[in-house]
Amino acid sequence: MFQQLLKSAGPPVVGTFVKIPSLEIAEIIGAAGFDFVVIDTEHALLSVRDVYSLVVVYSRMGVAPLVRITDHGYGDAQRYLDAGAAGVLVPHVSNAAQAEAVMRQFLFPPAGTRGMGFAARAGLWGGLDGGTAEYVRAGHEDVARIAMIEEREAVEDLDAILAVSGVDAVFIGPGDLSLSLGAPGGSPVVHDAVTRSIGAAVRAGVPVGTVVQGDDQLRLRTEQGCRFILVGNDTGMISGAARRAVGQAREALSAGIR
Ligand code: 3PY
Ligand code: MG
């Protein structure tokens, strides 16, 4: 589903990071109109069961659920794919050899080593129309394997990473790039590294996404060719709304007192 969205014409698809293991918040975010979400197990304390519940709710609401996995391991990531995740974002893919090794785990033989889990949710509990052949087809063609480019080394090896057959898309992470490059977030050094990385992906014909702050960045990254864009996260939206509510109340109170 996410793979099809990436290939469709038109403006980039818009998503947000999900960090809160709450079905209520999932329904609120899911109803807001996002095309996809990235359930974040790298930086949020989500259990495998939490991820499973979020994948079910978002997919039933027609919002493609991707999972940012914790590291380069197979175990939990495989369980997310068998739970029906639309794809995985793999953090800190440093070079092409690493990209090849990590993505092979998420491709079925002979291309890779992913295990058969037809009796899981991705196989509709063993009842998927088309049987195991369809489970394997969907695991190859519908699942998006996305490498996160967020280190100096990865930017330097990007052309080779983009040529790895298991890499379906790349996501440029400005936050970690800023740390890796030793330059402040939002500085020209980081901005240019993101721009050059987007350009390399566009030239290679590999769908590329990033996270943006504000409308100007959204427009710029879209013009540069991003196919998927992340705006904020559930924690930030709640914190922002809460702060605005208090701010407005305090302002109204001080206006009344004057
Ligand atoms: C980064 O910017 O480092 C990310 O992982 C995405 O926000
Ligand atoms: Mg990062």
Side-chain angles (χ1 to χ4, degrees):
M1 170 194 196
F2 185 71
Q3 281 276 45
Q4 281 86 335
L5 286 178
L6 283 183
K7 284 170 193 152
S8 59
V13 289
V14 177
T16 193
F17 281 108
V18 165
K19 294 167 184 282
I20 306 174
S22 149
L23 297 183
E24 291 83 356
I25 289 173
E27 285 204 300
I28 292 167
I29 299 285
F34 288 107
D35 301 301
F36 73 100
V37 289
V38 177
I39 300 164
D40 186 5
T41 72
E42 187 194 9
H43 292 300
L45 300 172
L46 302 174
S47 69
V48 173
R49 191 82 200 170
D50 292 332
V51 174
Y52 169 66
S53 302
L54 293 169
V55 165
V56 172
V57 171
Y58 280 111
S59 59
R60 289 289 175 197
M61 294 186 82
V63 181
L66 306 175
V67 181
R68 168 153 69 175
I69 62 179
T70 312
D71 52 31
H72 292 191
Y74 171 73
D76 287 347
Q78 159 63 15
R79 297 163 90 190
Y80 305 145
L81 291 179
D82 268 343
V88 283
L89 268 87
V90 182
H92 294 278
V93 172
S94 308
N95 53 54
Q98 226 180 60
E100 172 107 42
V102 69
M103 296 313 186
R104 265 179 65 76
Q105 305 176 108
F106 309 129
L107 290 164
F108 294 107
T113 56
R114 183 176 166 190
M116 162 70 73
F118 184 56
R121 183 169 180 270
L124 219 57
W125 312 113
L128 186 67
D129 276 352
T132 54
E134 172 56 16
Y135 164 85
V136 169
R137 186 211 60 74
H140 267 183
E141 292 173 22
D142 297 349
V143 162
R145 287 152 289 260
I146 304 171
M148 295 191 66
I149 306 303
E150 45 188 357
E151 292 163 3
R152 179 194 295 271
E153 184 187 346
V155 172
E156 285 164 1
D157 204 31
L158 186 52
D159 288 336
I161 293 173
L162 291 163
V164 171
S165 66
V167 172
D168 300 308
V170 289
F171 177 94
I172 318 300
D176 276 302
L177 258 183
S178 125
L179 293 179
S180 176
L181 295 170
S187 65
V189 173
V190 177
H191 177 84
D192 291 351
V194 175
T195 298
R196 274 186 281 111
S197 302
I198 294 170
V202 169
R203 279 193 301 282
V206 175
V208 54
T210 192
V211 58
V212 298
Q213 273 167 1
D215 297 348
D216 288 347
Q217 267 191 25
L218 177 73
R219 273 190 290 272
L220 177 70
R221 297 310 184 197
T222 301
E223 278 163 24
Q224 290 176 339
C226 277
R227 293 298 309 141
F228 62 108
I229 302 252
L230 277 146
V231 289
N233 54 59
D234 53 3
T235 50
M237 288 180 223
I238 290 173
S239 137
R243 281 159 194 265
R244 269 194 305 281
V246 176
Q248 281 163 7
R250 300 245 184 267
E251 213 175 286
L253 282 174
S254 64
I257 290 162
R258 260 187 257 119

